[in-house]
Amino acid sequence: MTTIQFAKGHGTHNDFVLIPDVDGQVDLTPAQVAFLCDRRGGIGGDGLIRIVRSAASGEPAVADGPEWFMDYRNADGSAAEMCGNGTRVFAKYLVDHDLADGPEFEIATRAGSKRINLVPNGYRTDLGEWRLSRLDEAQERGMDSVVQVVGAAEPLPALSVDLGNPHTVIALPPSVDLDGLDLTHPPKVDPEPPHGTNVEFVRAHAPGHISMRVHERGVGETQSCGTGAAAAAIATWWWGGQPVDHLNWNVDLPGGRLGVHLLLHRVALSGPAQIVATGEVTLPE
């Protein structure tokens, strides 16, 4: 049996198991990741982050990039491109353990390098460029897909946003209650993205202010999703005519408030990050 070190952290209650593996010695199987993320049999988390030097990560695409690689896994054990809230928790761990210092530094992810800045309310991550996945269809119809979810009588029009990971955003009509949606089952997206998608349900309150819930692929509903908040703000801003005076957004999620900062073709995310526990755990074989 193998015993390893772990930490537990969260960003607006989007929580993660962190595995320090600075020299790339821990080779976690998908089943072991799923065990660690299990809330009854393991530690519990929406995902897992392995903290490893890029050169020792086993990921050739990041070997020559920033020193530290955020190896992010979904709770079901599958590898994912990145996680917006996870970048802040990852950064918090690096700073707390003197592995990085501010006021800014870069980290490597499967979705490219991300710049982190220390800000008064925690950390701000430049998530990089965004794009509409099917721009021509979106411009023609204002949507590019439909989503069926329990709690809505009819399929809802949606917009696909690519932030290095896939998102499908729905602006809820007044007849559909955000809190009344049943997200215990995955929403059905048509056309179905080949690698799955995160699905965001949005209620607009005022210019620059929305609330949302999210169903994350490979996880289920989470209390917060950083890239999902960014995608929701981008879609709402795009639907509203892309006003240049509404580039900073407050996004309220069940786990708290995040800041989304639109830079026309780039987007940044800001919010808190906490490390709440450390310890040792024995992995199943």
Side-chain angles (χ1 to χ4, degrees):
M1 303 291 279
T2 302
T3 299
I4 61 173
Q5 301 290 319
F6 78 89
K8 176 71 181 285
H10 75 89
T12 52
H13 294 187
N14 193 191
D15 61 340
F16 311 98
V17 180
L18 295 96
I19 303 299
D21 182 29
V22 296
D23 296 318
Q25 301 299 308
V26 179
D27 185 15
L28 295 172
T29 67
Q32 289 171 332
V33 172
F35 158 74
L36 291 168
C37 291
D38 187 272
R39 297 191 183 279
R40 292 178 175 85
I43 297 165
D46 293 325
L48 179 142
I49 299 170
R50 184 171 67 113
I51 300 158
V52 59
R53 284 193 171 90
S54 296
S57 67
E59 297 273 344
V62 305
D64 296 326
E67 181 177 7
W68 296 104
F69 172 57
M70 185 182 87
D71 179 6
Y72 185 71
R73 317 286 182 90
N74 294 317
D76 65 358
S78 59
E81 296 88 350
M82 64 158 295
C83 169
N85 287 328
T87 61
R88 300 196 315 279
V89 178
F90 183 81
K92 171 72 171 171
Y93 186 94
L94 293 180
V95 170
D96 285 357
H97 290 79
D98 297 322
L99 300 175
D101 55 21
E104 66 179 39
F105 53 90
E106 289 192 359
I107 63 172
T109 78
R110 292 187 181 90
S113 298
K114 307 299 176 187
R115 182 167 295 279
I116 309 288
N117 287 86
L118 278 68
V119 294
N121 67 332
Y123 297 86
R124 173 171 165 150
T125 304
D126 183 345
L127 297 176
E129 293 187 358
W130 62 270
R131 67 182 184 89
L132 299 186
S133 301
R134 293 188 287 278
L135 177 60
D136 290 345
E137 186 173 357
Q139 289 178 330
E140 180 180 348
R141 304 172 61 202
M143 55 172 282
D144 59 26
S145 54
V146 294
V147 175
Q148 181 69 65
V149 61
V150 178
E154 302 290 338
L156 300 168
L159 189 66
S160 303
V161 182
D162 186 341
L163 282 160
N165 60 354
H167 296 270
T168 302
V169 183
I170 300 96
L172 293 177
S175 59
V176 178
D177 180 18
L178 178 63
D179 294 331
L181 299 176
D182 180 357
L183 299 187
T184 59
H185 304 285
K188 295 181 180 179
V189 181
D190 184 19
E192 183 177 354
H195 302 293
T197 183
N198 304 293
V199 184
E200 290 83 26
F201 298 89
V202 178
R203 171 73 70 218
H205 299 291
H209 182 202
I210 59 176
S211 57
M212 60 169 275
R213 291 172 63 193
V214 58
H215 188 285
E216 294 195 54
R217 60 175 178 166
V219 185
E221 183 176 13
T222 59
Q223 293 291 293
S224 180
C225 175
T227 54
I234 288 167
T236 307
W237 174 77
W238 188 85
W239 277 318
Q242 308 101 58
V244 295
D245 56 343
H246 293 150
L247 299 180
N248 293 303
W249 290 73
N250 289 322
V251 182
D252 293 329
L253 302 105
R257 174 172 286 187
L258 292 170
V260 174
H261 316 283
L262 303 181
L263 311 169
L264 296 184
H265 295 296
R266 300 180 70 84
V267 62
L269 175 76
S270 63
Q274 295 184 346
I275 304 295
V276 299
T278 59
E280 294 183 344
V281 60
T282 300
L283 296 174
E285 296 298 335

